[in-house]
Structure formats: C-alpha cells, structure tokens
Amino acid sequence: MKINKNFDNLVPNYLFADVAKKTADYAAANPDKKIIRLGIGDVTLPLAPVVVEAMKRGAENLAHKESFKGYPDYEGYAFVREAISGYYKSFGVTVSADEIFVSDGAKSDCGNIGDIFAQDNTVLVTDPVYPVYVDANIMAGRKIVYAASNRGNGFAAMPDDSVKVDIIYLCSPNNPTGAAYTAEQLKAWVDYALKNDAIILYDSAYEAFITEDLPRSIFAIEGARQCAIEMCSLSKTAGFTGTRCGYTVIPKELARDGHSIYDTWYRRQATKFNGVSWPVQCAAAAVFSEEGQRQIKENIAYYQENARIIASALDELGIYYTGGKNSPYIWLQCPNGMGSWEFFDFLLENANVVGTPGEGFGENGKGFFRLTSFGDRENTIEAVERIKALLK
Ligand code: PLP
C-alpha cells in the first residue's frame, strides 16, 4: 500500500490555528480585556425567515409517505436549477437550468473539479490566494504558477502572454483581497484562456456583495462560454456556511480535448456525489424567490455597512486598502512598514482587535492584513474606534 506522496508537498498552513492560539493566549493572560474578532470568515447573522420556513416544509415532506424524497438528481432538482437560472437572468446573464449543478458548496467543487483534468496541466492562481485552489492541485500533483496581485496592479493580477497555463483560478470579488475585476480585465483573462486553450475556474462566491457596475458572473463576458466554469455558493450570499449549498455552471458547448466538460463533470458527480438533501434544496430555492432575495439583501446590507465603516476609518487614517466596497473583506497595508504578524501582535496587544495576517495567503500577502465585515455592528464600530485611536 502506498500513500499519495503529493500530500508530502503540501506546505503546512497554520494561519488560522496560529491566529486562534495567539488570541487564546492573550485572552488567558488578560482576562479583563474585551477582544473583538474581525478576522472571522464565517457569517454571524441567522438564515432568512423565508429560507427557514422552506427548510422546515422540506423536513416535514420527509415525514410522510406521499411526500417523502429519496436520492435527489445528481445535478440538483430542476426547480432549484430553474430558480438559479432566473437569478442569473436578474442581472442580465443567460445560463440555462440544464447547465447548472447544485452542490454542497463551492469549496468542494473548486477542489473536486480537478478530477476531470489531466495531472500534467499547469494551474495558475493569483497570489494572495484562497488556499483551496493551491492545496487541491498539489494533492493532484499539478504544477502551479502564481500571478502576482499587488499594490502595483490594485491586487488584480492580469494574464502574462509569455506564460502558458491550462487551468486558471480566478476569484472575484476576491478572498482575501476584496478586489473585484472589471469587465475589461475579465475580458483579458477570457481572451488569454481562449488563445491558450485553457479553462478558467471562476469562483464568484462573493458576487452578491458587488455594489458597483462590475460583472457578477464570468458569463457576462463575451467568449466565456467557450472557456469558463463558474462556481458560486450560498454560504456568504445567504448564510449557508453551516447549511451547505452552492452551484457550478458549465456551459453545454464547453469542450476540451474532444470531450464535453459538462458530460465529464456529470459523470464524475454521478460517481462520487449523491446530491444535496431535499430540505436544503427547498431552502436554496427559497433564497431565489422574491421574498428570499429581499430578506437576504437585508443581511448582506448589514455586512456591507460594517465594511463601509471599516473602510472609511482606513480612508481617514490614510491607509492603503482594497475591498470593502464590493466585498465583505478589507485588505490593508500594515502601517509603518510593519510585517503581517508584527501588525497582528500590535493590534491584538494595543487595540485588542484580531485580524488575519495577509502572508498566510501567499507571498504577496506579506505586509498586508485582512479584516472582515462579518462581525456584529456594535463590535465593528468599537474595533474601528480603537484602531483609529491607536493609529492616528
Ligand atoms: N470560495 C471562496 C473564495 C471562499 O472564500 C469560500 C469560503 O470562505 C468558499 C469558496 C467556500 O464556499 P462554500 O462554503 O460554499 O464551500
């Protein structure tokens, strides 16, 4: 018996464990201090009432012989896919219900999609990066190249024609930087992918946070249907981090190497995935109802206001940052040339505020720091006041 040796190539990432340990140690040594956590990447508001009602009705269906449900369709129930298709239509993008796969979330799909691609493809990620893209491809033994997102390009890495890759992960609005690509920038990526016969894996997990006139989907870009797969999630959009539901869109005409990508992914899902539970799919469909959209937008607006509060404090302090406007994340340059961990300690000890050191997300995160808007309003305001008092 041999283990998959690619796992030996994973670089241990103790980012969140180290943050948790340092915070716990500080709290234990300073029990009188009120620590505010602005590092969390998880939502804190409860599910919308209309979503909970739909989930309860779904659970009740399972209690009766006439309405009981067994295994769902591999690609998700048609009424959920129709609802998602309608949602795309609401922002002007045409995606048909039979191009959608309902899943248990974007993390699984971002990682599992690699099953359908050969091992000798080269993968591009933008750096700093959501670590799942990197680790999933290291596990599969693929070569990874990094496109630098930095202050010079506004944390929006662009394609380099001298570099040839086969698979491109893009995340917009981005985790961790909060930066969102313009249509023009995405068109450059689509053109690059078409020229290189590459496939873009587009993670739109934060599209619901976009407030400006920016693309909500890669399929808003001409040519994307010939080169892109999109993964989205209800986790941040509708508070489904614990409920688990997302979706992946694969245009029917997308093909590579003589194979339909849709058909290949369908085959993979049919083999390794048995679908999302009935109550959760009922809840997911409710998210896309008129009332569901109204209710989830209230929650999103709450987080957006937190983000605005944090961003305006950084404006006042003259600190460079990206995000905040079209994203729940605010990515800031550590003041006074401090390193990511140095600033983490400084903020924890002097303001009792916890954030996430940027260097945990890659080389280009060094000297940067991530704050999130997923906390509650009162604590966000208090944290911001403390940061302002400390850095003024
Ligand atoms: N993609 C990005 C960029 C994320 O930041 C996250 C969660 O933090 C996910 C995907 C995971 O989404 P899900 O909860 O649907 O698995």
Side-chain angles (χ1 to χ4, degrees):
M1 205 296 280
K2 292 194 179 117
I3 202 92
N4 176 355
K5 291 283 188 319
N6 294 322
F7 277 69
D8 294 343
N9 299 326
L10 293 168
V11 179
N13 189 338
Y14 302 120
L15 176 66
F16 291 102
D18 286 351
V19 165
K21 179 161 186 346
K22 275 179 176 260
T23 309
D25 288 351
Y26 182 82
N30 301 275
D32 54 318
K33 296 278 178 17
K34 179 189 166 192
I35 295 173
I36 300 178
R37 289 170 175 81
L38 292 189
I40 46 167
D42 201 350
V43 292
T44 51
L45 294 174
L47 293 174
V50 71
V51 170
V52 174
E53 281 313 309
M55 203 186 308
K56 281 186 190 166
R57 277 198 306 276
E60 187 60 29
N61 291 155
L62 300 181
H64 308 281
K65 200 166 193 303
E66 316 77 65
S67 51
F68 175 76
K69 305 282 175 194
Y71 289 121
D73 302 331
Y74 298 123
E75 73 275 41
Y77 286 106
F79 71 95
V80 184
R81 291 183 287 108
E82 291 290 352
I84 295 167
S85 171
Y87 176 66
Y88 272 96
K89 201 169 168 199
S90 74
F91 49 82
V93 172
T94 304
V95 160
S96 85
D98 63 2
E99 298 177 315
I100 295 167
F101 290 85
V102 178
S103 75
D104 64 349
K107 188 185 211 174
S108 325
D109 285 0
C110 287
N112 293 334
I113 194 80
D115 274 11
I116 69 169
F117 301 123
Q119 189 194 341
D120 57 0
N121 284 304
T122 299
V123 177
L124 178 144
V125 299
T126 61
D127 168 5
V129 61
Y130 175 54
V132 173
Y133 313 150
V134 173
D135 288 355
N137 283 286
I138 288 177
M139 288 174 190
R142 292 198 187 92
K143 182 182 168 214
I144 298 174
V145 301
Y146 296 85
S149 297
N150 51 37
R151 196 168 161 168
N153 57 28
F155 284 91
M158 295 304 293
D160 174 351
D161 277 330
S162 69
V163 179
K164 159 95 179 91
V165 300
D166 308 297
I167 297 169
I168 300 155
Y169 279 89
L170 296 179
C171 177
S172 180
N174 191 271
N175 178 15
T177 73
Y181 280 119
T182 63
E184 199 183 14
Q185 289 170 326
L186 285 181
K187 181 76 174 85
W189 279 109
V190 165
D191 289 346
Y192 170 91
L194 291 171
K195 201 163 118 194
N196 289 281
D197 203 30
I199 282 192
I200 295 172
L201 303 176
Y202 191 78
D203 185 341
S204 62
Y206 298 96
E207 60 78 19
F209 288 81
I210 290 177
T211 54
E212 294 179 314
D213 185 20
L214 296 167
R216 304 268 298 268
S217 162
I218 188 77
F219 299 118
I221 309 301
E222 196 194 334
R225 291 183 61 86
Q226 280 74 46
C227 67
I229 294 173
E230 180 159 293
M231 285 124 177
C232 196
S233 167
L234 296 185
S235 284
K236 309 299 160 77
T237 302
F240 272 52
T241 52
T243 306
R244 310 304 308 143
C245 196
Y247 46 95
T248 285
V249 179
I250 307 184
K252 280 286 171 74
E253 65 261 47
L254 182 62
R256 286 292 181 278
D257 207 6
H259 290 72
S260 151
I261 301 297
Y262 179 96
D263 290 350
T264 313
W265 181 242
Y266 187 97
R267 186 73 176 82
R268 187 273 173 208
Q269 290 296 78
T271 302
K272 294 194 183 178
F273 183 64
N274 251 342
V276 175
S277 75
W278 170 252
V280 170
Q281 291 204 51
C282 292
V287 167
F288 299 105
S289 66
E290 205 174 306
E291 182 57 14
Q293 286 293 298
R294 199 191 59 71
Q295 292 181 6
I296 63 153
K297 278 178 185 156
E298 275 177 23
N299 286 5
I300 292 170
Y302 180 91
Y303 297 134
Q304 282 169 326
E305 176 61 10
N306 285 349
R308 194 200 58 75
I309 289 165
I310 298 168
S312 68
L314 298 176
D315 283 334
E316 255 181 68
L317 292 165
I319 291 174
Y320 173 86
Y321 67 92
T322 50
K325 255 198 203 103
N326 301 299
S327 160
Y329 299 117
I330 295 101
W331 177 255
L332 61 114
Q333 184 150 29
C334 302
N336 308 319
M338 273 188 258
S340 294
W341 279 107
E342 198 184 346
F343 186 58
F344 174 90
D345 291 335
F346 179 74
L347 212 54
L348 175 60
E349 286 160 21
N350 298 290
N352 306 142
V353 171
V354 178
T356 310
E359 70 179 76
F361 299 100
E363 199 54 31
N364 288 285
K366 285 186 173 159
F368 283 81
F369 201 74
R370 192 189 75 173
L371 296 175
T372 83
S373 61
F374 291 124
D376 67 56
R377 177 68 43 76
E378 216 176 289
N379 281 343
T380 302
I381 292 172
E382 190 176 337
V384 158
E385 290 309 319
R386 291 187 202 167
I387 292 172
K388 281 203 288 197
L390 181 65
L391 298 178
K392 249 187 186 141

